Amino acid sequence: MNATALFEYGLAFLTLYVSVFFILLLLENRHVLKHNPKPSRYPTISIIIPAYNEENSIAATIESVLAAEYPNKKQVIVINDGSTDSTLAKARAFAKRGVLVLNQPNAGKGAALNHGLRHAKGELVATLDSDSFIERNSLVKLVGFFEDPTVGAVTSVMKVHEPRNTLQRLQRVEYLITVFNRRVLSFINSINVTPGPLSVFRKSVFDKVGGYDEHNILEDQEMALRIQAADYRIESSMEGVVYTKTPRTLRELVRQRVRWHRGGVRNLLKHYYLINPRYGDFGTVIMPLGILSMLAIFVVIAISALALLHRQPGLLEYGLSNFIYTFSPMHLLGVMIFLGTLAWTYVGIKSIDSETVNPLEILAYVVIYAPLITLFWLVTAFKEAKREKLRW
Amino acid sequence: MRTLRTNTYVAALVISLLLFGTGMLAGLFIANQLTDSLAKEITEVRTRTTEIELLFLLDADSSSCAAYGPQLELFDNQTAEIDRRVDILSSTRGATDPDVLTLKREFTIMQLRDYLFTQKINQKCNQSVDTLLYFYGNNCAECDQQGSVGPELKRDHPQLRIYAFDADLSSPAVTAIMQQYGVKSYPTIVVNGLKLEGYKSKQELEAVLAKS
């Protein structure tokens, strides 16, 4: 067995192992999977909306917050981060309806969030992106988790706002399965991101871990890592929904994901100390797994590139008969993992009550996203090699 | 203090080892079945050649000449399929895989016998079935290009019998036939006994075939 084969079988085993672990985790927690605690009281809440050049959506975003039911005080803060369009004027129109509108020269999302935090009066703080919209019951569904005093933050159900083209419909599937995966990760308190579109925090958490990192291009993930480091629980709701706008073209999507990956790598390096058994499952398994899977992607890309370069002429033309005649145990393991991924995605999305998804869409998602992820990482590596400037 | 779900990790390890083991065993079983079936097909074809050879030996007055044609054609189809499969196998498992090497050698010997036999039938039955021998080796830049000419030629001239030999296989039989025709470089093609060195296009080969 050569080195390549050894790596491939090793990776297949690791994938199988991780999959089985998560299946067991899901089975052990199946009774609390859909548990969404009802609050016995409603703490005061501040909703912080940082906005940069969002004149087309900011009004609808604010409207959705004002329309949201909440049986206690609800403070709405919009921070205009030096927009060059009419965002500020659009936001100021809501001042007479009690919205606090702050203005600052352009300083980035992290700075805008911190600006809002300084004015937040609520016991809880929700951060909401200015291109995202919440449902009437979203806030009510999210605050119940804070009855547990160890909970520092709660993540929401992120959905794609009005998916129109194929790429957005694929992202819709991705977002939904991510919600489910995050819920499963919450069972071992290993959520590593409190997404910007909508997350709720206990205000005292910021007093303890500090405000947002103002120079970070993935500040919502960086915050979650610090909350983990402070040993809070990060919970995940499968009912409190936020709709967010997503990239329409492949170009925009690649741009977004490359930002996530480049920011993600930096955050891993910044908080490498979390790889420590002291942080339980998160430090022992989930953090190292994140790094391992990142490295694995590049080794897989290298192996595939070598195989393509050295391929014998005529090999690809054989197609299916090639698969049959050259059958090796790897094929069977591959089929096993592929079917497992399909099943997991199907079951996961089905468990989100408010959504239905066509099995064909799931198949398309699993098949199309694998090469897409490769593309994201290749562009990421390329930009890193070029030392291209990081931009939000 | 944070916890580690040791039990779940251990249970997952046991289950995934079982799954992995089952997958590997089942996979190896299926892979072996496929190699076996290929080997079986080669044996079957070999038996058929032996049968035709026997027929040839028993037949003193060339009264069976009519029977050879269809037999050889059948043989031709089967070898083409086997050739294809050995080819795929060698490109994925690697040319140095012991299974691949054995299959390749068996296949080469089979081809060589078929070639010699075709020549004998040509003599005995007074017919002229065209033959083309193609010798190739590793590290031969023109061989990839030359290799693709064979199937094209075969498509337009189904009666032509093409035999490809890998010189690097170090099979004594291949060495012997290479000596017979004085093959020293690759690619070398022998059309109806006439040696041609270097890359030859389909048109060039067709011209040679038309003349001989």
Side-chain angles (χ1 to χ4, degrees):
Chain A
M1 204 183 244
N2 60 29
T4 311
L6 206 63
F7 172 81
E8 285 173 355
Y9 281 97
L11 189 63
F13 177 73
L14 191 68
T15 310
L16 208 59
Y17 175 66
V18 173
S19 312
V20 171
F21 172 73
F22 280 112
I23 292 168
L24 289 182
L25 202 57
L26 174 64
L27 291 176
E28 284 171 9
N29 293 282
R30 62 190 179 281
H31 302 301
V32 290
L33 177 65
K34 293 185 182 182
H35 180 63
N36 200 84
K38 259 200 166 54
S40 59
R41 70 177 191 97
Y42 289 89
T44 52
I45 190 166
S46 300
I47 296 107
I48 300 182
I49 309 170
Y52 174 71
N53 286 355
E54 293 287 1
E55 61 181 3
N56 292 324
S57 56
I58 184 73
T61 302
I62 300 173
E63 284 288 3
S64 79
V65 176
L66 293 175
E69 53 193 61
Y70 200 72
N72 198 347
K73 236 179 157 152
K74 179 174 74 180
Q75 182 193 23
V76 185
I77 306 172
V78 179
I79 306 95
N80 174 50
D81 183 26
S83 299
T84 54
D85 63 2
S86 64
T87 302
L88 182 61
K90 292 253 162 73
R92 279 198 170 138
F94 288 90
K96 56 183 179 291
R97 290 166 70 185
V99 174
L100 175 60
V101 180
L102 306 171
N103 195 21
Q104 67 176 42
N106 184 260
K109 195 175 169 187
L113 285 164
N114 286 342
H115 192 177
L117 276 175
R118 284 194 290 275
H119 291 81
K121 301 236 168 25
E123 195 181 322
L124 301 178
V125 169
T127 59
L128 177 65
D129 277 353
S130 47
D131 62 349
S132 305
F133 321 99
I134 62 174
E135 289 185 337
R136 281 183 62 85
N137 67 0
S138 294
L139 297 175
V140 171
K141 291 286 186 186
L142 291 169
V143 299
F145 289 95
F146 290 97
E147 306 260 304
D148 174 350
T150 63
V151 170
V154 174
T155 66
S156 62
V157 180
M158 261 168 78
K159 293 188 185 178
V160 174
H161 175 67
E162 294 177 357
R164 289 205 176 88
N165 61 27
T166 310
L167 199 60
Q168 286 177 319
R169 270 193 280 274
L170 285 175
Q171 288 179 79
R172 173 178 169 259
V173 178
E174 183 199 19
Y175 276 47
L176 291 174
I177 191 59
T178 305
V179 167
F180 175 74
N181 289 345
R182 205 174 279 140
R183 177 74 188 151
V184 175
L185 274 177
S186 77
F187 298 143
I188 48 172
N189 190 22
S190 292
I191 292 179
N192 62 2
V193 57
T194 38
L198 175 63
S199 293
V200 185
F201 305 83
R202 202 184 288 280
K203 173 88 190 312
S204 59
V205 167
F206 295 109
D207 302 332
K208 186 156 180 194
V209 308
Y212 282 89
D213 177 354
E214 304 194 353
H215 305 289
N216 205 290
I217 54 162
L218 204 61
E219 75 297 321
D220 54 354
Q221 190 207 38
E222 203 273 339
M223 178 51 72
L225 292 180
R226 266 188 287 142
I227 295 173
Q228 282 288 357
D231 291 328
Y232 285 104
R233 277 194 66 78
I234 301 181
E235 267 293 349
S236 159
S237 169
M238 296 237 289
E239 292 182 21
V241 175
V242 62
Y243 293 91
T244 191
K245 288 190 177 171
T246 57
R248 256 169 312 182
T249 62
L250 183 61
R251 203 187 175 82
E252 286 171 45
L253 184 67
V254 170
R255 222 182 95 92
Q256 180 194 49
R257 298 311 161 102
V258 167
R259 176 174 73 78
W260 290 3
H261 289 334
R262 295 185 78 186
V265 171
R266 277 168 182 71
N267 288 338
L268 272 182
L269 292 174
K270 183 175 175 188
H271 295 287
Y272 71 93
Y273 59 86
L274 285 169
I275 301 175
N276 186 329
R278 190 214 154 299
Y279 295 102
D281 297 292
F282 185 65
T284 317
V285 178
I286 302 304
M287 280 287 284
L289 205 60
I291 293 175
L292 215 59
S293 56
M294 208 161 64
L295 295 177
I297 284 174
F298 282 104
V299 182
V300 168
I301 291 175
I303 288 178
S304 315
L306 280 177
L308 271 179
L309 279 177
H310 289 253
R311 90 180 176 89
Q312 303 247 330
L315 183 62
L316 288 182
E317 293 94 86
Y318 293 140
L320 187 65
S321 69
N322 180 24
F323 183 84
I324 295 169
Y325 290 150
T326 62
F327 187 89
S328 75
M330 184 49 85
H331 289 75
L332 199 64
L333 292 171
V335 169
M336 240 155 115
I337 291 167
F338 177 71
L339 293 178
T341 309
L342 285 181
W344 176 268
T345 312
Y346 182 75
V347 170
I349 293 180
K350 239 187 131 99
S351 69
I352 300 171
D353 287 335
S354 53
E355 289 294 322
T356 51
V357 67
N358 184 334
L360 274 177
E361 285 184 301
I362 289 176
L363 182 68
Y365 161 70
V366 172
V367 172
I368 296 173
Y369 249 72
L372 269 186
I373 288 169
T374 311
L375 176 69
F376 300 152
W377 278 106
L378 277 177
V379 178
T380 303
F382 180 69
K383 302 228 160 177
E384 285 299 327
K386 261 178 57 184
R387 295 172 181 275
E388 197 173 293
K389 213 174 144 243
L390 291 166
R391 230 184 288 256
W392 208 95
Chain B
M1 198 51 215
R2 301 177 71 142
T3 55
L4 192 64
R5 293 196 172 228
T6 317
N7 287 346
T8 313
Y9 291 114
V10 173
L13 184 65
V14 173
I15 295 173
S16 53
L17 275 175
L18 280 174
L19 272 175
F20 189 74
T22 315
M24 286 293 278
L25 282 179
L28 282 175
F29 178 75
I30 299 173
N32 279 338
Q33 291 275 312
L34 284 169
T35 322
D36 282 357
S37 86
L38 193 53
K40 208 182 274 170
E41 259 174 69
I42 292 181
T43 317
E44 215 178 280
V45 176
R46 199 163 50 204
T47 313
R48 194 187 298 277
T49 23
T50 318
E51 272 171 5
I52 312 176
E53 278 171 12
L54 269 176
L55 191 65
F56 184 84
L57 288 174
L58 288 170
D59 173 33
D61 55 357
S62 66
S63 58
S64 304
C65 274
Y68 298 136
Q71 285 289 346
L72 283 176
E73 203 164 309
L74 197 68
F75 174 84
D76 214 26
N77 293 336
Q78 276 177 321
T79 46
E81 174 66 12
I82 292 173
D83 184 25
R84 201 169 75 87
R85 286 174 59 176
V86 172
D87 217 37
I88 304 171
L89 207 62
S90 108
S91 58
T92 49
R93 281 212 199 168
T96 52
D97 181 275
D99 276 352
V100 171
L101 276 180
T102 312
L103 287 174
K104 250 187 153 174
R105 290 178 71 149
E106 282 200 42
F107 182 68
T108 305
I109 295 167
M110 207 170 77
Q111 283 207 307
L112 211 50
R113 279 170 77 153
D114 181 53
Y115 169 63
L116 297 174
F117 190 59
T118 306
Q119 281 191 315
K120 284 212 170 130
I121 292 174
N122 270 349
Q123 281 170 10
K124 183 172 180 176
C125 302
N126 250 334
Q127 59 182 32
S128 55
V129 174
D130 289 324
T131 58
L132 185 152
L133 305 185
Y134 166 45
F135 297 93
Y136 64 95
N138 295 332
N139 304 324
C140 152
E142 286 179 321
C143 288
D144 279 349
Q145 212 184 343
Q146 186 71 72
S148 63
V149 173
E152 286 174 35
L153 208 58
K154 180 75 185 171
R155 197 179 51 225
D156 292 353
H157 307 269
Q159 298 304 316
L160 173 67
R161 303 188 64 81
I162 298 178
Y163 307 95
F165 297 105
D166 181 353
D168 296 324
L169 210 55
S170 61
S171 148
V174 174
T175 315
I177 191 139
M178 278 166 62
Q179 274 168 356
Q180 188 185 331
Y181 290 109
V183 177
K184 289 182 192 73
S185 62
Y186 319 110
T188 292
I189 289 172
V190 178
V191 180
N192 292 336
L194 180 70
K195 184 171 78 171
L196 311 162
E197 287 179 331
Y199 172 77
K200 292 286 171 284
S201 71
K202 181 167 172 265
Q203 285 73 21
E204 288 175 275
L205 292 172
E206 279 174 332
V208 178
L209 276 169
K211 266 188 271 173
S212 61

